[in-house]
Amino acid sequence: MLTSLKSIVTAHHVLISRWLLGSFLLLTAVTRFTTADASYFTKQLQAVNFPDLPWLSAALGVMQLITLAALIVPRYRWSQVVMYVYAGLATVPLLMMFTHPVWVDALGGFPAPGAGQGLIKYLAIAAVSLFIASHYAKHTRINALAVKLALSGILLVMVWIGGMKFTQYEADGIERLMNSSPLFSWIYSLFSVLHGSYFIGVIELIAVFAILLAPWSSKAYVLGLGVAALTFAATQTFLITLPGYDTQLGFPVLTGSGQFIVKDLALLACCIILFAKHNATKA
């Protein structure tokens, strides 16, 4: 069974990555047309003394939908250009780590990200878009760069957010998420809130260590990617159990927490890309 799964992932990793990135784009694009998101972007612009652009949120939503269309028909030149453009746009939120107050002052500020936890995930989002575009455009050097960015995206999130698990701030922050899901709530029957957070942090950092062993151990690398992939896949259950959406508009729309959670779909795609590339190299 594992061999069959390995073969399926290796053979269809680009298709799977398109589906995962497309799901993220569709789910978050809907929220761009809400007053809540428009207000959010207004506040972000004010933080850097930019003029109010009330159309910005909707424009980003349209861009995401166009990128979604490009993912559906990726062999066209215009589709590849759109995905390249989106990859570039996805790096912009990373700049907010240095221009906006996204750090936790109570923990000494940098390197303790508060709102910044959602921002660092954009590296993986950019990497996946860049990988898919370069794959169909047959730009091998850009594709190789995208693979490296995918690895960096995973390590950045796993190290940074994993490290945060050893703080009371993060332990308290994830308690509601963890308690809502039967996949994770059992942890609190064994550990306190703080030590349960430690437990998760240890697992995430072990995965990072295993991935970093790639030059010396192929098995450790695959194990690390597997743990990371399971982590990013399992967090999607929070969308239902938390829940990460509301229906005030008459249909489900992601909340801020929901948007944070679905970004893990891009990180899952990064794991799949790296796993497939690893298998191709070993073949």
Side-chain angles (χ1 to χ4, degrees):
M1 181 178 177
L2 289 177
T3 302
S4 298
L5 181 61
K6 175 181 175 181
S7 299
I8 291 172
V9 170
T10 302
H12 302 290
H13 66 285
V14 179
L15 177 61
I16 297 171
S17 298
R18 284 167 54 197
W19 186 86
L20 290 171
L21 181 60
S23 297
F24 159 76
L25 289 171
L26 179 60
L27 289 170
T28 54
V30 175
T31 68
R32 301 289 178 255
F33 301 97
T34 64
T35 55
D37 259 36
S39 175
Y40 167 80
F41 283 106
T42 295
K43 291 178 181 178
Q44 302 314 311
L45 291 172
Q46 290 175 346
V48 289
N49 298 316
F50 269 53
D52 183 19
L53 301 175
W55 48 264
L56 179 59
S57 180
L60 291 173
V62 170
M63 180 62 195
Q64 288 186 217
L65 293 175
I66 293 174
T67 306
L68 175 60
L71 285 169
I72 296 173
V73 287
R75 299 185 185 279
Y76 290 100
R77 178 62 179 168
W78 70 266
S79 298
Q80 296 151 19
V81 171
V82 166
M83 285 185 279
Y84 276 135
V85 170
Y86 181 73
L89 289 175
T91 63
V92 173
L94 293 171
L95 299 177
M96 292 169 62
M97 299 292 289
F98 310 101
T99 60
H100 288 66
V102 297
W103 309 100
V104 184
D105 292 335
L107 297 178
F110 184 90
Q117 291 192 26
L119 300 178
I120 59 178
K121 293 183 179 184
Y122 276 98
L123 180 58
I125 294 168
V128 176
S129 185
L130 195 66
F131 175 83
I132 297 170
S134 59
H135 171 81
Y136 286 100
K138 301 187 185 305
H139 294 157
T140 55
R141 290 186 179 180
I142 298 178
N143 195 257
L145 172 62
V147 172
K148 292 178 181 178
L149 289 177
L151 176 60
S152 299
I154 292 172
L155 294 177
L156 179 65
V157 167
M158 295 291 281
V159 169
W160 221 329
I161 297 181
M164 284 287 290
K165 294 295 190 297
F166 296 91
T167 67
Q168 187 69 54
Y169 171 89
E170 183 71 4
D172 293 339
I174 66 172
E175 181 184 7
R176 180 166 168 251
L177 284 171
M178 304 287 289
N179 264 327
S180 73
S181 173
L183 291 180
F184 296 98
S185 59
W186 60 269
I187 292 175
Y188 292 130
S189 65
L190 301 176
F191 304 103
S192 66
V193 170
L194 182 59
H195 289 93
S197 184
Y198 287 175
F199 174 72
I200 299 168
V202 167
I203 292 176
E204 291 176 341
L205 294 182
I206 286 176
V208 169
F209 180 71
I211 291 172
L212 293 175
L213 287 176
W216 302 279
S217 174
S218 174
K219 290 183 178 180
Y221 178 70
V222 170
L223 176 62
L225 286 179
V227 171
L230 286 174
T231 299
F232 300 135
T235 58
Q236 300 311 298
T237 62
F238 295 143
L239 290 175
I240 305 300
T241 61
L242 186 58
Y245 63 91
D246 66 54
T247 56
Q248 292 181 3
L249 297 177
F251 56 91
V253 176
L254 292 179
T255 62
S257 296
Q259 292 186 56
F260 175 80
I261 292 166
V262 296
K263 290 174 185 175
D264 284 358
L265 292 175
L267 287 154
L268 176 57
C270 285
C271 292
I272 290 171
I273 289 168
L274 293 173
F275 180 71
K277 288 294 182 181
H278 174 76
N279 286 339
T281 302
K282 293 298 179 179

